[in-house]
Amino acid sequence: MVYIIRLLASIVQQGLTTVFHFLTINYFAELPPPPATGPMKKIVILGGSFGGISTAHRILKQFSKTGPVKITLVSPNTHFYWNVAAPRAILPGQISDEKVFLPIAAGFKQYNSSQYEIITGRAQSLDFETKTVEIIDESGERTLDYDYLVLATGSRHAGNIPFKTLDTTEKTREALHDYQEQVKKAKTIVIGGAGPTGVETAGELAFEYGKQKRTILLTPATQVLDSAIPSVSKVASDILHRLAVEVKFSTRVISSSPTSSGQIELTLSSGERILTDMYIPTYGVVPNSSYIPASYLDEKGFVKVDQQFRVRGQPNVFAIGDVSNLEPPQVMFVDKQSTHLAKNIVLVLGGKQPVEYKLGPKGLGLQIGRKTGTGHLGNFKIPGFLVHMLRKNLLLDKVAPLVDGSAF
């Protein structure tokens, strides 16, 4: 029973971003340190979100076991963006920029400058034969060579919405501010998609504004959170009903067009037309993989990896997080993947064989409004009070330790 309680607490407290982390905290302690001699190994990590930053810190903190290494972290964003808080952050006056945007480079100043480099730029292409990455940064195009490469470039939403990091920190911040202004002025808000993001967003809006604003949630499915177990879906529906959110099932947006009044007219699959002041589509996650040769991607654009996170056919290239196809593109999986990948890289640097990653049970945990929530681990439903108790601040207290590396 104690084991189960610790497991549930870990899942919910970390917002499903550190699922099973407590099971892996002794990974590195078990590893014998390799000789701290030999040529410098170059590790290039593409992506400055959760997966990239946490993996970089984890490897650098094992410097005594890896031998000489230099990590080059390439990110188009100067700041880490805690998008877990986005459903509440789009409401004006709720969360300051300083709490959701933290500078990446500042967190690495604890290390010797010879151990790392932070580049504000993006990958343009890869050449696995020559072990090089073509990137573009403020000064133009340049080539990086690597001994090991980690792809952690994440995913994005199809629209210009701040529920994922956009092209740059500035664009993400501007989009977030734009949403805050739209929410402030809107009387009717329609949300497309009733997955975790859509449900949390509807809950935040309805809790804050009640009947001052009309909140409508659309889903093409026959239930909200259609990937969750039925009991969790029902709990979520009941909470949304109490918050006066209008939920339309088996309904999707066919088209949208601006009107002369400044509103948006949505045409629904049911034939109904809705006039709204704001439309928020929360579906359509797309992997950031355009720089990767197509033969290494699956039909949806995700990187094909084995259970050691190796890109198929490339023993020195790894992919984790949303961009890989091993697990669904959800933040709940990233911490466990990062922990395991860092362990494997340390093993490889020590001349040992990496170990396979074990898939865990699927789960879900979300806040709906600010007084309750719901979730599950496998077929076990997590009590709403526990979700609320551990997720009520949307894990904002975890952001700084993640970015500065003190969490690892």
Side-chain angles (χ1 to χ4, degrees):
M1 178 60 69
V2 172
Y3 173 87
I4 293 174
I5 292 173
R6 288 183 62 204
L7 178 59
L8 294 176
S10 174
I11 290 169
V12 181
Q13 186 175 20
Q14 302 301 324
L16 293 176
T17 62
T18 55
V19 178
F20 307 123
H21 176 59
F22 73 94
L23 294 176
T24 61
I25 57 176
N26 291 321
Y27 270 4
F28 292 114
E30 299 169 357
L31 301 177
T37 60
M40 174 80 72
K41 295 296 184 181
K42 300 176 183 177
I43 302 173
V44 174
I45 298 178
L46 303 179
S49 194
F50 196 127
I53 291 175
S54 59
T55 301
H57 277 302
R58 283 183 165 116
I59 295 172
L60 287 169
K61 286 181 179 294
Q62 300 299 313
F63 187 71
S64 63
K65 298 179 181 180
T66 63
V69 297
K70 179 179 180 180
I71 289 181
T72 300
L73 181 69
V74 181
S75 171
N77 306 285
T78 58
H79 289 60
F80 173 83
Y81 175 49
W82 187 240
N83 68 314
V84 171
R88 187 175 300 168
I90 66 168
L91 277 62
Q94 292 298 314
I95 303 176
S96 67
D97 287 357
E98 292 72 21
K99 290 184 177 180
V100 291
F101 294 100
L102 275 77
I104 295 171
F108 288 85
K109 290 184 178 179
Q110 61 188 288
Y111 308 112
N112 189 292
S113 60
S114 65
Q115 295 176 275
Y116 76 95
E117 180 182 9
I118 309 295
I119 297 176
T120 303
R122 66 179 61 254
Q124 297 289 91
S125 63
L126 306 177
D127 189 327
F128 293 139
E129 293 296 322
T130 60
K131 292 187 179 181
T132 57
V133 182
E134 296 293 329
I135 69 166
I136 184 167
D137 61 15
E138 300 96 327
S139 60
E141 295 183 357
R142 57 188 290 197
T143 302
L144 301 177
D145 60 300
Y146 64 84
D147 294 300
Y148 300 96
L149 176 64
V150 177
L151 312 179
T153 44
S155 62
R156 66 188 186 281
H157 280 286
N160 188 43
I161 62 175
F163 290 96
K164 294 276 189 181
T165 302
L166 302 180
D167 288 341
T168 65
T169 296
E170 290 73 23
K171 286 185 179 180
T172 306
R173 188 183 287 116
E174 288 172 6
L176 184 62
H177 293 171
D178 178 62
Y179 259 53
Q180 291 168 353
E181 283 301 309
Q182 290 187 59
V183 168
K184 182 178 180 180
K185 297 175 183 177
K187 296 297 183 183
T188 299
I189 300 174
V190 175
I191 301 160
T197 301
V199 170
E200 282 199 325
T201 302
E204 290 289 340
L205 288 166
F207 184 90
E208 176 69 14
Y209 298 108
K211 294 184 178 180
Q212 297 175 45
K213 299 181 188 291
R214 183 185 180 194
T215 303
I216 303 171
L217 181 64
L218 309 178
T219 175
T222 57
Q223 61 183 26
V224 301
L225 302 177
D226 63 316
S227 64
I229 61 176
S231 59
V232 167
S233 175
K234 184 180 185 307
V235 169
S237 289
D238 291 344
I239 297 171
L240 292 171
H241 178 72
R242 292 197 299 270
L243 290 171
V245 175
E246 300 175 37
V247 182
K248 295 181 180 291
F249 299 102
S250 303
T251 304
R252 67 174 72 244
V253 174
I254 300 299
S255 65
S256 64
S257 57
T259 67
S260 58
S261 65
Q263 292 182 295
I264 302 169
E265 183 180 70
L266 301 176
T267 301
L268 309 183
S269 55
S270 62
E272 181 184 0
R273 295 175 185 270
I274 295 179
L275 281 177
T276 184
D277 302 302
M278 186 178 187
Y279 172 51
I280 306 175
T282 63
Y283 52 84
V285 173
V286 180
N288 295 321
S289 59
S290 61
Y291 63 95
I292 302 168
S295 60
Y296 294 94
L297 308 177
D298 66 16
E299 66 281 358
K300 294 182 179 179
F302 295 93
V303 185
K304 294 181 286 189
V305 299
D306 62 21
Q307 287 198 210
Q308 295 174 358
F309 299 109
R310 295 182 190 268
V311 174
R312 300 288 183 176
Q314 296 299 324
N316 289 357
V317 184
F318 307 87
I320 61 168
D322 287 11
V323 78
S324 77
N325 73 345
L326 190 59
E327 293 179 299
Q330 299 172 10
V331 72
M332 61 174 283
F333 297 110
V334 180
D335 189 70
K336 184 188 173 190
Q337 292 181 9
S338 170
T339 301
H340 193 93
L341 175 59
K343 172 194 174 180
N344 271 352
I345 289 177
V346 171
L347 280 171
V348 171
L349 290 171
K352 299 184 179 297
Q353 289 297 313
V355 296
E356 289 201 349
Y357 175 81
K358 295 181 180 179
L359 299 172
K362 294 183 179 180
L364 181 72
L366 67 158
Q367 184 85 358
I368 308 177
R370 292 178 215 163
K371 290 189 175 180
T372 190
T374 189
H376 69 96
L377 173 66
N379 291 320
F380 182 87
K381 183 165 70 71
I382 304 172
F385 77 88
L386 182 59
V387 177
H388 168 67
M389 180 177 67
L390 298 170
R391 263 186 67 92
K392 59 185 177 181
N393 72 342
L394 300 176
L395 294 309
L396 286 167
D397 57 317
K398 308 297 179 184
V399 183
L402 188 160
V403 179
D404 66 24
S406 60
F408 312 115

